[in-house]
Amino acid sequence: MSKQVTSTSLDSHLDALGHVDRRRLLLTLLHADTDGDRPVEIDQMEYDTAERPLELSMHHVHLPKLEEKGLVDANVDNHSVTTGPRFDEIKPLLELLDANRGQLPDGWM
């Protein structure tokens, strides 16, 4: 008999980590989250996706997905993001990815 989990599922977390730009944003928030509310400015992020500029894909694809999951709070007017109410649930996976960054293929992080 399987035990049902009431918190966010592993599948949901893996979905959130399913794109390199979302992984990079969440890892940036992990490193910036020393006081709990330090915003990350999207305009300051140094990478773009191959398909379209980062800002466009962040605002229309990635931020809505991460906000829906409660992982981030986005301030579109200020172009900034802070950790959301459920960020701590994905934090162990982010720490695991970050700790093993050197063992992952190029482009994954």
Side-chain angles (χ1 to χ4, degrees), residues 51-108:
E51 312 88 45
R52 51 190 150 174
L54 174 65
E55 188 174 350
L56 181 65
S57 64
M58 274 294 172
H59 286 291
H60 295 286
V61 179
H62 304 306
L63 288 177
K65 178 173 267 203
L66 295 174
E67 277 190 301
E68 180 182 309
K69 294 176 182 298
L71 300 175
V72 303
D73 286 325
N75 184 328
V76 180
D77 295 332
N78 292 339
H79 301 279
S80 65
V81 181
T82 57
T83 57
R86 300 189 90 163
F87 185 82
D88 284 343
E89 292 181 17
I90 201 169
K91 199 171 184 176
L93 282 175
L94 294 172
E95 290 169 342
L96 182 64
L97 285 172
D98 196 39
N100 293 286
R101 182 182 296 255
Q103 298 175 358
L104 299 174
D106 291 339
W108 277 28

Side-chain angles (χ1 to χ4, degrees), residues 2 7-8 10 18 24 28 31 36 38-40 44 50 65-67 70 79 83 91 93-94 102:
S2 67
S7 66
T8 306
L10 177 62
R24 289 176 177 166
T28 300
H31 292 285
R38 184 173 169 199
V40 169
Q44 300 299 318
K65 178 173 267 203
L66 295 174
E67 277 190 301
H79 301 279
T83 57
K91 199 171 184 176
L93 282 175
L94 294 172

